[in-house]
Amino acid sequence: VDSAGLSGFDVEMRIGHAPDTFRLGMVAHPEYDDRFWRFVVNLRVEDSAGPATLTREDSALWRVVAPGGTSVVRYRLQLPAAAGQYRSAWVPFLAPTGGLVGGPDSFMYIVGAELAPAYVHLALPPEWTIATGLEPTTANPGRSAAIARRPLRAMGAMTSRQFSAHPPTPWMSSTASPSPASSTRVRR
């Protein structure tokens, strides 16, 4: 995330031990399909062993042909413009003080390898923190997480409060929302 360009964010996928041909897809959410594949721009692929090509096969499906080895796929997710004063809670956004991104709307996956382990490294402005249900890794605590189908709930300038409940439930509040009152509940 570049705080100087909050209209979207860049994604880089490093795919090790890749076959010479594989497909990349984007998820269609079962409840609300926002068709985020429409917002993918500057999609490209490189391979350490030589030239690679990328071909769109369907709206949310791409075929990659590369010599095999380590492929790097890069793209930008250009976030849709706000449609009004309020936005739905699940719609990704970025603001100067934080945002909501991640999950199936943001990341492509390798078709046929949906359950393969994947990790995300967050390159954020230094004053931002994250609130997520993802498990941190030891490589870079607070900035990396093992990723499944759970989104990064919020990131930015946040405060943490502990409330007395049974069991105790932490809350993280962000000032990044377009609406004055926005809280994200983080369950452990």
Side-chain angles (χ1 to χ4, degrees):
V1 173
D2 180 1
S3 58
L6 297 172
S7 62
F9 56 93
D10 297 319
V11 176
E12 178 179 289
M13 294 175 60
R14 294 182 180 273
I15 304 166
H17 309 290
D20 62 356
T21 302
F22 59 94
R23 287 178 171 69
L24 295 172
M26 289 192 80
V27 172
H29 195 281
E31 286 181 73
Y32 54 88
D33 184 10
D34 287 334
R35 302 180 330 232
F36 263 71
W37 46 263
R38 298 176 299 158
F39 307 117
V40 172
V41 296
N42 301 328
L43 180 61
R44 59 206 183 276
V45 63
E46 300 168 4
D47 191 277
S48 59
T53 61
L54 193 136
T55 306
R56 188 175 215 150
E57 293 187 331
D58 199 353
S59 57
L61 184 68
W62 295 264
R63 180 173 37 92
V64 176
V65 177
T70 301
S71 294
V72 178
V73 176
R74 293 182 176 92
Y75 59 94
R76 180 166 181 82
L77 194 66
Q78 192 70 35
L79 295 173
Q85 182 180 1
Y86 301 102
R87 64 170 176 79
S88 299
W90 63 85
V91 175
F93 75 94
L94 288 172
T97 56
L100 173 75
V101 300
D105 291 332
S106 300
F107 303 117
M108 293 183 177
Y109 64 93
I110 299 172
V111 177
E114 290 86 349
L115 299 178
Y119 300 89
V120 61
H121 172 79
L122 305 172
L124 302 173
E127 65 276 6
W128 287 20
T129 58
I130 62 169
T132 181
L134 300 175
E135 294 295 325
T137 64
T138 56
N140 194 355
R143 292 290 176 153
S144 298
I147 186 167
R149 290 192 162 103
R150 293 176 278 181
L152 304 169
R153 288 292 180 204
M155 53 190 191
M158 292 182 270
T159 58
S160 177
R161 304 277 191 267
Q162 185 73 36
F163 294 91
S164 179
H166 300 286
T169 305
W171 285 77
M172 305 267 317
S173 297
S174 172
T175 58
S177 175
S179 63
S182 173
S183 295
T184 301
R185 187 177 193 159
V186 180
R187 291 192 185 268
R188 290 185 195 192

